[in-house]
């Protein structure tokens, strides 16, 4: 009898284990095939960023990777900063008309609007390193062999257009790789790549370009810039990855990847929200950088150096926020960080839209840099989480598209608005825009899919 009872108990245990094993085996199948009865992919809105948590057990990257990204961002930003200053001046020396000079200054980054998504699709197929290498080598060749030989405005405009089309191969590849590695780098460093690029583009590049122009002339500046782009290729080969495992020639065709990116935008509300917020931030930064100097000179009679220092202060606060605020913000969730950012930016736009004196401009510059820094840190972490779930090329291309689109809208649409209603009207529209974002945030529209910023919990830094 005792033996029969023991046998019966063993059979019950065995049956329980079989049921448990069957449940475990069936669970991944439901996660891997989120297809509804309609045949469309169902976005996993209940756990949109769960895949990031799987990566939290990955070991932290060696410090040389972060240093490499910082050097890469600074060099790339410096080359772009030199171009922003030197190329329009070179166009003027060639007796270009004002509209031609405007084309030279404005067409340098239009390639980001046209090629961000295609380059993102290519990254999933070929990896970041070969695309960055192509963009760096082709850009260096253009500076060394092209710009040095151009002596007519139309030639320079054509060269700028070509350089703008090469830019995405470097910038999208770098940003995508950083988003991919951010869970292993840690949330404290979310803004470091953007900070290093901004440091080169807005501080080192313009100052270096002005100094080199006085010492070497235009040809010498072009040669130094070309050599600098070659240096970025050497650094990029050390920190960027090659083709992802299992991809390559057998990967999905590029056209299908583009369709997939569009499908992701349409199906993922959290991605659309992140892109919209990043676009609004770049609109605010672009309008301030383009028009606050004119407002300070015309309305408050500041000198040119004093007015230009408003942009410098805003950029400095933005860079410092990206470098230093990641640790302070890491315990907070997306909703709290966006509440801080939107509050700062709404106060900024109201100060600039209805300035009580010149002090409003200085305070607005500080608050704008701080608010944009907090907003960008949050957006970078959200995009990094989406990258881990949806693929780095898909999300990286969309992330790189939002910024240039916002910059273009802020400058062009803001200029048209300012010409008709006055330059302060742009800040009033931006204040209304951030008021809407605050309302959406208060109603919980932007708080969906909320998640703590600490993507790599328990990381060792």
């Amino acid at each position: 009898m005792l033996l029969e009872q023991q046998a019966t108990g063993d059979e019950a245990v065995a049956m329980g284990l079989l049921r448990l094993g069957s449940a475990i085996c069936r669970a991944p199948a439901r996660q891997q095939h989120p297809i509804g009865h309609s045949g469309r992919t169902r976005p996993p809105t209940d756990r949109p960023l769960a895949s990031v948590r799987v990566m939290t057990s990955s070991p932290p990257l060696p410090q040389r990777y972060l240093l490499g990204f910082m050097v890469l961002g600074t060099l790339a930003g410096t080359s772009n900063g030199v171009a922003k200053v030197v190329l329009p001046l070179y166009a003027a020396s060639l007796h270009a008309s004002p509209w031609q000079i405007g084309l030279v200054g404005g067409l340098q980054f239009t390639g980001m609007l046209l090629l961000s998504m295609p380059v993102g699709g290519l990254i999933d197929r070929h990896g970041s390193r070969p695309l960055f290498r192509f963009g760096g080598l082709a850009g260096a060749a253009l500076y060394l062999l092209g710009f040095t030989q151009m002596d007519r405005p139309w030639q320079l405009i054509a060269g700028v257009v070509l350089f703008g089309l090469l830019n995405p191969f470097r910038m999208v590849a770098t940003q995508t790789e950083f988003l991919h590695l951010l869970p292993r780098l840690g949330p404290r460093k979310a803004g470091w790549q953007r900070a290093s690029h901004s440091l080169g583009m807005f501080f080192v590049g313009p100052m270096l370009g002005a100094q080199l122009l006085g010492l070497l002339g235009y040809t010498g500046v072009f040669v130094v810039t070309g050599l600098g782009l070659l240096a970025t290729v050497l650094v990029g080969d050390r920190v960027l990855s090659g083709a992802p495992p299992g991809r390559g020639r057998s990967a999905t065709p590029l056209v299908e990847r583009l369709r997939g990116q569009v499908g992701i935008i349409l199906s993922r509300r959290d991605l659309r929200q992140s892109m919209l917020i990043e676009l609004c931030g770049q609109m605010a930064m672009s309008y301030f950088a383009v028009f606050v100097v004119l407002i300070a000179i015309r309305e408050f009679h500041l000198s040119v150096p004093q007015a230009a220092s408003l942009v410098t202060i805003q950029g400095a606060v933005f860079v410092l926020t990206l470098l230093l605020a990641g640790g302070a913000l890491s315990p907070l969730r997306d909703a709290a960080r966006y509440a801080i950012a939107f509050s700062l930016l709404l106060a900024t736009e109201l100060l600039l839209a209805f300035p009580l004196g010149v002090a409003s401009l200085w305070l607005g510059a500080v608050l704008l840099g701080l608010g944009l820094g907090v907003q960008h840190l949050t957006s970078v972490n959200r995009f990094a989480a989406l990258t881990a779930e949806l693929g780095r090329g898909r999300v990286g291309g969309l992330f790189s598209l939002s910024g240039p689109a916002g910059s273009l809208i802020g400058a062009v649409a803001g200029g048209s608005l300012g010409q008709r209603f006055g330059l302060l009207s742009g800040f009033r529209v931006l204040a209304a825009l951030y008021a809407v974002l605050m309302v959406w945030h208060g109603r919980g529209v932007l708080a969906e899919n909320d998640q703590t910023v600490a993507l790599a919990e328990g990381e060792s830094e």
Side-chain angles (χ1 to χ4, degrees):
M1 179 69 67
L2 181 62
L3 291 175
E4 290 178 358
Q5 291 177 351
Q6 182 176 1
T8 304
D10 291 341
E11 289 175 359
V13 172
M15 291 298 295
L17 290 174
L18 285 174
R19 290 188 185 123
L20 178 61
S22 176
I24 293 174
C25 292
R26 285 196 303 268
R30 289 195 297 268
Q31 294 176 354
Q32 292 174 359
H33 302 283
I35 305 296
H37 294 291
S38 63
R40 296 178 58 186
T41 301
R42 184 175 67 249
T45 53
D46 55 335
R47 290 190 304 270
L49 306 180
S51 58
V52 178
R53 299 194 182 277
V54 178
M55 300 180 63
T56 58
S57 59
S58 301
L61 287 174
Q63 200 67 17
R64 66 181 179 88
Y65 279 97
L66 180 61
L67 179 61
F69 273 110
M70 296 288 287
V71 173
L72 193 61
T74 303
L75 287 174
T78 299
S79 66
N80 290 333
V82 170
K84 285 177 66 70
V85 171
V86 173
L87 290 178
L89 293 176
Y90 186 51
S93 72
L94 298 178
H95 307 290
S97 61
W99 70 271
Q100 289 175 322
I101 296 175
L103 288 178
V104 170
L107 293 178
Q108 296 179 33
F109 304 102
T110 53
M112 293 292 294
L113 295 175
L114 300 175
L115 296 180
S116 288
M117 290 178 62
V119 171
L122 289 173
I123 286 174
D124 273 339
R125 181 169 184 174
H126 301 289
S128 301
R129 186 191 304 152
L131 296 180
F132 184 89
R133 185 185 299 153
F134 167 75
L137 292 176
L142 180 60
Y143 266 97
L144 295 173
L145 304 176
F147 286 129
T148 55
Q149 307 299 320
M150 297 175 183
D151 56 3
R152 288 180 174 82
W154 67 266
Q155 293 176 338
L156 184 61
I157 293 172
V160 167
V161 170
L162 180 57
F163 184 69
L165 295 175
L166 295 173
N167 251 333
F169 290 91
R170 297 184 298 118
M171 298 181 68
V172 176
T174 306
Q175 292 174 354
T176 300
E177 189 77 10
F178 187 78
L179 290 176
H180 175 63
L181 296 177
L182 182 57
R184 296 177 64 189
L185 290 170
R188 297 175 184 271
K189 304 177 180 67
W192 285 31
Q193 192 270 337
R194 176 66 181 272
S196 62
H197 187 273
S198 299
L199 180 66
M201 186 167 183
F202 298 111
F203 296 99
V204 179
M207 290 188 296
L208 182 63
Q211 292 294 326
L212 291 176
L213 188 58
L215 294 174
L216 305 175
Y218 290 107
T219 301
V221 172
F222 295 150
V223 171
V224 171
T225 305
L227 296 176
L229 289 172
L230 291 177
T232 64
V233 174
L234 297 177
V235 178
D237 280 343
R238 300 296 300 272
V239 299
L240 300 178
S241 63
R247 308 292 176 88
R249 295 182 180 180
S250 61
T252 306
L254 178 60
V255 175
E256 294 186 20
R257 290 190 177 278
L258 292 177
R259 291 175 182 170
Q261 286 178 305
V262 175
I264 289 174
I265 296 175
L266 296 177
S267 63
R268 293 302 296 264
R269 188 175 186 177
D270 50 351
L271 177 60
R272 293 198 304 272
Q273 289 176 354
S274 299
M275 293 180 66
L276 173 64
I277 292 170
E278 185 67 12
L279 182 139
C280 292
Q282 291 302 311
M283 285 172 57
M285 179 181 288
S286 175
Y287 190 82
F288 180 87
V290 172
F291 295 107
V292 75
V293 175
L294 292 176
I295 293 172
I297 294 173
R298 293 178 181 178
E299 303 293 333
F300 298 97
H301 311 292
L302 295 183
S303 64
V304 174
Q306 288 175 326
S309 64
L310 289 166
V311 179
T312 303
I313 289 175
Q314 183 269 324
V317 174
F318 177 66
V319 170
L320 289 175
T321 303
L322 294 178
L323 290 174
L324 303 178
L329 295 172
S330 60
L332 304 178
R333 300 179 70 83
D334 285 351
R337 292 194 305 277
Y338 274 140
I340 295 171
F342 294 160
S343 300
L344 289 171
L345 292 169
L346 178 58
T348 298
E349 302 304 337
L350 289 174
L351 271 174
L352 297 173
F354 306 99
L356 301 178
V358 69
S360 298
L361 300 184
W362 298 108
L363 181 58
V366 173
L367 292 179
L368 181 63
L370 185 61
L372 288 176
V374 174
Q375 178 179 291
H376 185 73
L377 283 169
T378 308
S379 296
V380 167
N381 279 290
R382 285 171 67 93
F383 274 108
L386 289 165
T387 296
E389 179 190 352
L390 302 174
R392 56 181 174 177
R394 289 176 170 183
V395 178
L398 298 176
F399 176 63
S400 300
L401 176 65
S402 303
S407 297
L408 183 63
I409 294 172
V412 177
S416 300
L417 191 69
Q419 184 174 352
R420 185 168 184 177
F421 300 104
L423 293 179
L424 294 177
S425 62
F427 293 121
R428 292 165 188 164
V429 171
L430 288 168
L433 179 63
Y434 274 101
V436 171
L437 290 177
M438 285 287 293
V439 171
W440 283 356
H441 181 272
R443 295 177 60 184
V445 175
L446 299 180
E448 294 182 4
N449 305 331
D450 198 17
Q451 174 160 323
T452 304
V453 72
L455 301 174
E457 298 172 355
E459 63 180 348
S460 58
E461 293 185 293

